[in-house]
Amino acid sequence: METALAKTPQKRQVMFLAILLLLWEAGSEAVRYSIPEETESGYSVANLAKDLGLRVGELATRSARIHYKGDKELLQLDIKTGNLLLYEKLDREVMCGTTEPCILHFQLLLENPVQFFQTDLQLTDINDHSPEFPEREMLLKIPESTQPGTVFPLKIAQDFDIGSNTVQNYTISTNSHFHVATHNRGDGRKYPELVLDKALDREERPELSLTLTALDGGAPPRSGTTTVRIVVLDNNDNPPEFLQSLYEVQVPENSPLNSLVVAVSARDLDAGAYGSVAYALFQGDEVTQPFAIDEKTGEIRLKRALDFEATPYYNVEIVATDGGGLSGKCTVAIEVVDVNDNAPELTMSTLSSPTPENAPETIVAVFSVSDPDSGDNGRMICSIQNDLPFLLKPTLKNFYTLVTQRTLDRESQAEYNITITVTDLGTPRLKTEHNITVLVSDVNDNAPAFTQTSYTLFVRENNSPALHIGSVSATDRDSGTNALVTYSLLPPQDPHLPLVSLVSINADNGHLFALRSLDYEALQAFEFRVGATDRGSPELSSEALVRVLVLDANDNSPFVPPRSATATLHVLLVDGFSQPYLPLPEAAPAQAEADWLTVYLVVALASVSSLFLLSVLLFVAVRLCRRSREDLVGRCSVPEGPFPGHLVDVSGTGTLSQSYQYEVCLTGDSGTGEFKFLKPIIPNLLPQGTGEEIGKTAAFRNNFGLN
C-alpha cells in the first residue's frame, strides 16, 4: 500500500509518498517467526516482549495488542508473560493459496506513547494434501497405425501443497505398449505424457486399461490415481493442430457474464469425419474454471464473475479432437486486469474520548486503512475537515494517528465531530467515510469571576442582627466540580476592623449578613474583600471589594437611601374628640425605578409640605372664627401604646410597607401648636408594637418638626 501527502483548500490530505515508504521500509526491520501450518492453537510462537526489548510489565501498562488486517484474531499476546500465542490452527493453503513464501504481517500496538512494531509470521508447508486427478478415468482413442514414439498428453493431478510436497512424478501400471514421461511446466508444475513404445493392433487388442499414479515429494509421499482407457482405432493420418500453441489475453475483472474472452482455432488435414474438430477444456474442471468453450467454434466465454483479488491469472488448456480420436492441445494464459471495485476500508484501533483540554499534542485515535485493489486502485489518501484543530499523521505503513494540532479549549468548544475520509486513486475514485465524536474534558483553567469588581451596600443603623444586607456573585466558565464556587471573607487590610463580628457570608451563594446592630455614630462606613474559590485542582480564586455605608436613622435625605415608600396623610380639624369616618384608600405600594427615585421623593416631600402649610392656614382660620366658643375647648391626646408594627419598618431599610391614613387633631387652645398623631382608623390590623417602634414613631414626628 502506498499513501501520499497532499493539501487542498477544501481538505487537509495526508499521503505516503512512495519514496517515503521505501525509505521507511529500508530503515525498519520486522521481527519474523516461522511455524508449520496446522500447528495446534495455544502454541507459543515466541516471547515477543523479549525479542523487542520490552519489559513484561510494560505490555499491560501500555495496552499492548496484536493487530491483523480485517480485525481477524489469529494471534494472541499474553501481556503477563510477553508470549505470542497461536489463537487457532492456520492452513497455509487457505491463508496464501499458491503464494510462496506464505507470510502473515502483524503489528504490535503500544500506547502512552503510541508505538508500532512490525511482526511477520511465515507458515511453512506440510504434506497434508494428496494429489488428485480431475477425473476418475481418461479416454484416449489411438489409431492402430500410430508409430512408436508418438506422445499423447495426459491430464495433470492437483496438489494444494507447494515445493517438494507437491506432485513430483507420474507412473503407469506395467504394460508392453506405453510408458509415462514426466516433464516440467513453466510455472514449476510437472505434467505427464503417454509415450507409445510398441505398435498397437486393433485386431489383437482393441482396448487397454492402465492405472496412472501421481506421487508427491513428501515424507512419506502421498499419491493419487486415475484410470487411462485406451481405445484402438482404425487409421487416421493427421491429428488436429492449433494455429498457436499459446494464446495470451487480458480480461477486466468486471467483464459481464458470457463475454468473449478469446477464440482458439485448430485445423486437421484429414477429410470427412477425421478432419472435423471438436474443442473442449483439457482439464475439464468446469466447477473451478470460470470459463466455457464452444466445442464447434472454439470461442471461450466467461461463465462466472472474475475477482482479481482472489485469482489474478488463469492457465487454461484446450484440446481439439478429430473424428478419428486424434487430438492436439494449446494453452490459453488469461490475465485478470484489476479494476477499482473495492472501496478503502478503515479499522479503528484506538479512540481516546474524552480528550483533556490544554494538553500539548495528544493522540486522539489510531487507525489503519487498506484496499485490496492493486496499483493506483490500491493507493489511498486520508483526510479530515480543514477547519479542525486536529492533524493526521502517517506512522507504520498503513497506520495513521489523529493528533491535536494545538491545545483544545473546552470553554470554546466542548465537542468535535470528525469525518475521516479515505479515498483511493483509482478510476473512478472510491472513498470510505468514518465519523467519530471527540469530547473535550474540562481542566480547571478558569478562575471564578465576580459580576462586579466592587459592590456598595447601604445599611441603616440600628438594624436587626443577621440582617441580609446584600449579595455578591461570581461565575466559573469551567464545568462540574471545577465550576463550583465557594465564597469567603478575606482578612481586612485594616487590622483594627473587627470584620468577623460585623459581617458574615454564605459560602454557597454569596449572601452577606450584618451580624450585629450597626451604630452610625460609631461606624459610618467600612470596606472589606470577599474571595471566590472554585473546587477544582488546583484551586483558582478571585476577589472583589465590598463597601458598606451605614445610614443615619434620622437622616431622611432622598439622595442617600436606595429605596422609599409613601404614606397618605389626611388632616382633619375637629372640635372635640369626635371620631369622624374617613374612608381608607386602597393600599397602593409605590416602588419606583431607580432612575426616577429622586424625582418621586422630591414630589412626595413637596406634597407633604404643601399639605402641612394648608393645614396650618385652616387651623388659624378656624381659631379666628370660633374664638367665642370657649365650651368647645377640647383636648387631644395620643392613644396609649405604640403604633402597630407594620406602620414603621423595623428591618433597617427605611421603608414603609403600606400606605396608611391617620387622624390629626389640633386643640383650639393649644399655645404650642402641637401636631399629634392619633391611632389609625383601623387600629386592630396588627398587635401592639414594641418600644423600638415607639421610638421610631417619635423620630417620625421629629422629622416633621412636631413636639
Side-chain angles (χ1 to χ4, degrees):
M1 164 172 326
E2 298 182 29
T3 53
L5 180 60
K7 192 172 184 180
T8 65
Q10 301 297 326
K11 290 185 176 181
R12 183 186 302 109
Q13 299 185 333
V14 181
M15 298 178 62
F16 276 123
L17 293 174
I19 186 172
L20 180 61
L21 178 59
L22 293 176
L23 289 175
W24 180 92
E25 291 180 344
S28 61
E29 296 183 0
V31 179
R32 178 168 294 185
Y33 303 105
S34 177
I35 62 171
E37 63 171 331
E38 303 296 339
T39 301
E40 294 294 331
S41 61
Y43 173 77
S44 178
V45 178
N47 190 290
L48 190 58
K50 180 179 179 181
D51 294 342
L52 295 177
L54 300 173
R55 298 186 304 274
V56 175
E58 190 176 359
L59 298 178
T61 57
R62 297 181 65 184
S63 302
R65 60 188 181 278
I66 294 295
H67 175 82
Y68 180 68
K69 65 179 180 180
D71 285 343
K72 296 179 182 178
E73 191 171 6
L74 304 182
L75 295 173
Q76 281 185 328
L77 179 63
D78 188 339
I79 60 176
K80 295 182 180 179
T81 63
N83 290 333
L84 184 64
L85 306 177
L86 196 61
Y87 182 74
E88 61 181 18
K89 282 186 178 182
L90 300 179
D91 189 340
R92 193 206 65 82
E93 288 73 33
V94 173
M95 301 301 297
C96 299
T98 59
T99 303
E100 177 63 18
C102 178
I103 298 177
L104 307 180
H105 301 285
F106 297 85
Q107 293 82 32
L108 172 65
L109 275 66
L110 299 175
E111 297 181 4
N112 302 319
V114 172
Q115 195 172 5
F116 300 85
F117 293 95
Q118 181 67 41
T119 306
D120 294 342
L121 179 63
Q122 180 177 354
L123 295 180
T124 58
D125 184 54
I126 63 173
N127 193 23
D128 56 344
H129 294 89
S130 297
E132 293 183 5
F133 286 95
E135 298 174 355
R136 293 184 177 181
E137 182 182 87
M138 300 182 194
L139 177 62
L140 295 179
K141 295 179 180 181
I142 303 176
E144 61 179 339
S145 60
T146 303
Q147 297 298 316
T150 304
V151 176
F152 302 91
L154 299 175
K155 297 178 181 179
I156 66 174
Q158 298 287 343
D159 192 327
F160 292 107
D161 293 321
I162 60 172
S164 61
N165 292 328
T166 192
V167 176
Q168 298 296 316
N169 191 28
Y170 291 90
T171 63
I172 200 164
S173 57
T174 304
N175 67 94
S176 60
H177 292 279
F178 299 94
H179 77 273
V180 168
T182 302
H183 302 282
N184 290 320
R185 290 177 51 172
D187 58 1
R189 292 188 294 174
K190 292 181 171 58
Y191 65 94
E193 288 183 338
L194 188 65
V195 181
L196 181 63
D197 295 329
K198 180 182 176 182
L200 299 172
D201 186 350
R202 184 177 180 277
E203 288 70 27
E204 179 183 343
R205 192 173 183 180
E207 185 173 312
L208 291 86
S209 182
L210 306 175
T211 299
L212 179 65
T213 302
L215 297 170
D216 65 23
R222 290 175 176 263
S223 63
T225 61
T226 186
T227 299
V228 179
R229 188 164 66 93
I230 301 172
V231 177
V232 182
L233 304 176
D234 284 337
N235 290 334
N236 181 17
D237 297 330
N238 297 287
E241 292 183 1
F242 282 92
L243 300 180
Q244 298 176 226
S245 61
L246 176 64
Y247 292 83
E248 294 180 333
V249 63
Q250 293 182 331
V251 182
E253 64 173 325
N254 61 347
S255 298
L257 298 182
N258 203 40
S259 59
L260 179 64
V261 177
V262 68
V264 298
S265 177
R267 63 182 179 178
D268 193 317
L269 298 178
D270 293 322
Y274 292 147
S276 63
V277 177
Y279 300 95
L281 297 178
F282 182 65
Q283 289 295 124
D285 191 1
E286 297 183 357
V287 176
T288 59
Q289 293 280 6
F291 308 102
I293 189 170
D294 188 298
E295 65 175 6
K296 294 182 179 179
T297 65
E299 292 182 347
I300 301 176
R301 294 184 179 273
L302 190 64
K303 71 173 184 179
R304 193 170 64 248
L306 301 176
D307 186 0
F308 170 85
E309 289 71 36
T311 307
Y313 61 88
Y314 295 88
N315 280 323
V316 181
E317 293 182 325
I318 308 299
V319 62
T321 307
D322 63 17
L326 296 180
S327 62
K329 190 179 69 170
C330 75
T331 300
V332 179
I334 301 174
E335 179 184 357
V336 181
V337 179
D338 182 40
V339 297
N340 195 25
D341 58 346
N342 292 282
E345 297 179 358
L346 186 149
T347 302
M348 186 63 62
S349 299
T350 301
L351 177 61
S352 301
S353 180
T355 298
E357 64 173 336
N358 292 348
E361 183 176 291
T362 304
I363 296 178
V364 177
V366 178
F367 63 92
S368 62
V369 294
S370 60
D371 192 323
D373 292 320
S374 63
D376 286 342
N377 297 334
R379 296 188 181 95
M380 294 167 290
I381 55 176
C382 294
S383 63
I384 59 175
Q385 302 99 304
N386 195 44
D387 56 345
L388 296 177
F390 298 94
L391 183 67
L392 285 177
K393 285 189 174 182
T395 54
L396 176 67
K397 286 189 176 179
N398 57 341
F399 275 86
Y400 289 85
T401 57
L402 178 67
V403 299
T404 55
Q405 191 177 20
R406 59 177 184 271
T407 56
L408 304 179
D409 185 7
R410 188 204 63 83
E411 289 72 36
S412 299
Q413 187 166 349
E415 178 181 311
Y416 293 90
N417 294 315
I418 304 175
T419 300
I420 303 174
T421 303
V422 186
T423 307
D424 62 28
L425 301 181
T427 303
R429 292 196 173 190
L430 302 179
K431 69 177 181 179
T432 296
E433 292 184 346
H434 187 87
N435 298 314
I436 61 174
T437 298
V438 177
L439 302 178
V440 182
S441 60
D442 185 51
V443 173
N444 193 28
D445 56 349
N446 291 280
F450 281 95
T451 56
Q452 300 174 217
T453 57
S454 63
Y455 297 81
T456 301
L457 306 179
F458 297 92
V459 182
R460 189 173 294 278
E461 67 171 335
N462 301 329
N463 59 283
S464 59
L467 175 67
H468 177 214
I469 61 175
S471 301
V472 295
S473 178
T475 58
D476 195 313
R477 296 179 61 199
D478 294 318
S479 65
T481 305
N482 296 333
L484 299 179
V485 178
T486 300
Y487 300 92
S488 62
L489 295 177
L490 300 180
Q493 296 179 347
D494 184 359
H496 302 291
L497 179 66
L499 182 63
V500 294
S501 64
L502 294 176
V503 180
S504 68
I505 189 170
N506 188 306
D508 295 325
N509 55 31
H511 290 179
L512 292 165
F513 300 90
L515 295 180
R516 59 182 176 84
S517 179
L518 302 177
D519 186 357
Y520 176 78
E521 288 72 17
L523 183 65
Q524 298 181 3
F526 62 94
E527 64 182 24
F528 56 91
R529 293 172 299 128
V530 295
T533 305
D534 59 29
R535 302 179 189 178
S537 179
E539 292 182 347
L540 301 177
S541 61
S542 61
E543 60 182 55
L545 181 66
V546 179
R547 187 171 181 229
V548 179
L549 299 179
V550 181
L551 303 180
D552 187 358
N554 297 321
D555 185 4
N556 291 315
S557 172
F559 301 101
V560 176
R563 296 193 178 98
S564 64
T566 61
T568 302
L569 179 64
H570 291 264
V571 180
L572 177 65
L573 297 177
V574 298
D575 191 8
F577 298 100
S578 61
Q579 299 283 341
Y581 172 75
L582 293 178
L584 180 66
E586 294 181 1
Q591 180 69 39
E593 294 183 0
D595 294 340
W596 297 95
L597 178 60
T598 303
V599 177
Y600 289 160
L601 291 175
V602 172
V603 172
L605 290 176
S607 300
V608 171
S609 300
S610 300
L611 183 60
F612 175 72
L613 181 59
L614 179 61
S615 300
V616 172
L617 294 176
L618 290 175
F619 171 70
V620 173
V622 170
R623 291 194 61 183
L624 292 175
C625 294
R626 297 185 179 182
R627 183 180 298 275
S628 59
R629 299 181 59 182
E630 296 179 356
D631 56 343
L632 293 179
V633 176
R635 295 179 303 161
C636 291
S637 63
V638 179
E640 295 182 359
F643 283 81
H646 62 276
L647 299 184
V648 179
D649 176 51
V650 296
S651 65
T653 59
T655 61
L656 297 176
S657 57
Q658 298 187 36
S659 299
Y660 292 91
Q661 289 182 332
Y662 301 92
E663 283 186 349
V664 177
C665 178
L666 301 177
T667 59
D669 57 352
S670 173
T672 62
E674 285 186 346
F675 183 25
K676 296 183 179 180
F677 287 93
L678 298 182
K679 63 183 177 180
I681 294 177
I682 303 177
N684 295 323
L685 291 178
L686 291 175
Q688 297 269 331
T690 64
E692 181 181 346
E693 292 170 339
I694 296 174
K696 292 190 177 182
T697 304
F700 193 101
R701 293 174 59 197
N702 293 336
N703 288 340
F704 279 95
L706 301 177
N707 296 320

